[in-house]
Amino acid sequence: MALEVCVKAAVGAPDVLGDCPFSQRVLLTLEEKSLPYKMHLINLSDKPKWFLDINPGGKVPVLKIDGKWVPDSDIIVNLLEKKYPEPSLKTPPKFASVGSKIMTTFVTFLTTKDASDGPLLHELEALENHLKSHDGPFIAGERVSAVDLSLAPKLYHLEVALGHFKSWSVPGSLTHVHNYMHALFSLHSFEKTKAEEKYVIAGWAPRVHT
């Protein structure tokens, strides 16, 4: 029986895949494990009753597995790894927190008026140093793993949203970060599950104060 997953529909286009990085993380995991799934696009500004019935919290993503609906991308990804261990997407524990503060610092810089890019640059430089001192192209080596599938959508949002709203881009001096982003964005699974740039911009627009 195919898995079912509820993910965000695009803002203003309820029949198109939307811009939620946590939804994309789950879709990337399903794709990288070659698991068949049925996708439900949820319009978060007009949530259907059936969705709220199965998921009163109303957040996405939610995955139906073994007849139960499970929320939260962290829980979903761990559950999929346990139930479908091959191919393994486990990240070695020592690498699991690499890049973990990038999203927080990106959101603060994007949504806070007159915010400095210093904290975000600090996190990106830490990622650069990790990539420089370890074999790649991914965080844990040659093979993509869970930490990459978590970071990929966040780095995509960072590139698109900061480029549009702040005319900001990752410094060219961070060559390993640029190469890493290229490796992630070139994955077939990423191409298949990413939101169009215009929907990433539409998704962030209400939170940006320029």
Side-chain angles (χ1 to χ4, degrees):
M1 186 170 64
L3 299 162
E4 295 183 50
V5 61
C6 296
V7 296
K8 182 183 178 183
V11 174
D15 298 323
V16 179
L17 179 62
D19 62 298
C20 171
F22 305 103
S23 292
Q24 191 186 5
R25 177 191 182 192
V26 170
L27 295 177
L28 283 167
T29 304
L30 292 166
E31 290 289 337
E32 288 293 329
K33 286 186 173 290
S34 300
L35 296 170
Y37 61 92
K38 180 181 180 183
M39 183 167 66
H40 303 280
L41 297 174
I42 305 299
N43 180 352
L44 296 184
S45 61
D46 185 20
K47 297 168 187 171
K49 181 179 182 301
W50 70 263
F51 174 68
L52 291 171
D53 287 344
I54 58 140
N55 181 37
K59 292 185 177 180
V60 289
V62 194
L63 180 79
K64 188 176 187 180
I65 184 168
D66 294 336
K68 289 175 63 179
W69 287 98
V70 179
D72 190 297
S73 63
D74 282 338
I75 295 170
I76 292 169
V77 166
N78 288 332
L79 200 58
L80 288 171
E81 189 62 43
K82 284 179 183 170
K83 188 167 177 65
Y84 305 101
E86 296 299 330
S88 174
L89 293 174
K90 275 188 179 177
T91 302
K94 63 181 177 178
F95 298 145
S97 63
V98 172
S100 62
K101 295 179 183 174
I102 287 174
M103 185 72 176
T104 308
T105 52
F106 147 59
V107 174
T108 300
F109 177 44
L110 177 65
T111 60
T112 308
K113 194 172 183 181
D114 300 325
S116 162
D117 64 357
L120 175 58
L121 281 174
H122 178 76
E123 296 304 324
L124 290 171
E125 284 162 1
L127 176 60
E128 174 78 9
N129 290 333
H130 171 87
L131 294 166
K132 194 185 293 185
S133 57
H134 296 83
D135 291 333
F138 301 110
I139 295 289
E142 288 183 6
R143 291 174 56 199
V144 73
S145 72
V147 68
D148 302 301
L149 303 185
S150 176
L151 270 176
K154 297 168 185 175
L155 289 169
Y156 177 59
H157 278 240
L158 180 157
E159 180 177 78
V160 173
L162 290 180
H164 178 81
F165 291 108
K166 299 264 190 182
S167 299
W168 189 96
S169 58
V170 175
S173 57
L174 301 179
T175 54
H176 290 78
V177 173
H178 277 279
N179 292 339
Y180 177 58
M181 291 169 68
H182 178 73
L184 293 174
F185 300 166
S186 298
L187 291 168
H188 175 69
S189 59
F190 190 88
E191 285 286 337
K192 186 175 177 180
T193 60
K194 73 177 181 180
E196 289 183 53
E197 290 190 10
K198 64 182 178 181
Y199 296 127
V200 174
I201 291 164
W204 283 107
R207 296 183 62 185
V208 177
H209 305 284
T210 51

